[in-house]
Amino acid sequence: MSLHDPNCLFCKIIAGQIPSKKVYEDEELFVFHDIHPWAPVHFLMVPKQHIPSMAQLQPEHAGLLGRMMVLAPQLAAQEGCRPYPQGGFRVIANTGDDGGQEVHHLHLHVIGGPRPWLKG
Ligand code: 5GP
Ligand code: ZN
């Protein structure tokens, strides 16, 4: 699996070739607002490495995915989600056609904020 796919939308966003509203960035991760938010808070967390979906994950990716899960609540709070337990958010990883995945670069949706939400 190559590190970047020149035809991938999220690889282009990570590279800055397509503009996005950045939430967070480090060596391994890029986080940006979803262009069509379902809720007051809706951002996408992506590894900089081009992994098409959760279906391609290997044991070596455990640390990366663990870091994403630990970072999600921190960024949710930073972006306006109220504290637990009244506040909260959903973490969704659509995978494959039956999972409703449209962009084939692994991403976690973090969706939250006061209801009502557009979806869910
Ligand atoms: P999926 O259906 O693959 O889980 O989610 C892809 C998400 O990417 C969708 O929620 C969609 O709104 C978002 N998206 C698609 N194109 C762009 C874009 O160019 N910029 C941003 N920020 N989000 C995008
Ligand atoms: Zn990609």
Side-chain angles (χ1 to χ4, degrees), residues 3-21 30-36 44-52 101-107 109:
L3 283 180
H4 307 288
D5 177 343
N7 298 313
C8 168
L9 176 67
F10 287 174
C11 282
K12 289 179 188 170
I13 287 178
I14 292 161
Q17 293 162 359
I18 293 174
S20 69
K21 283 170 65 184
F30 195 86
V31 182
F32 55 101
H33 291 279
D34 196 291
I35 203 164
H36 294 128
L44 303 172
M45 306 183 69
V46 306
K48 286 187 172 175
Q49 180 185 351
H50 180 83
I51 303 168
Q101 184 179 9
E102 291 178 356
V103 179
H104 289 263
H105 180 130
L106 191 157
H107 52 281
H109 293 258

Side-chain angles (χ1 to χ4, degrees), residues 91-102:
V91 179
I92 298 172
N94 296 328
T95 304
D97 289 346
D98 285 347
Q101 184 179 9
E102 291 178 356

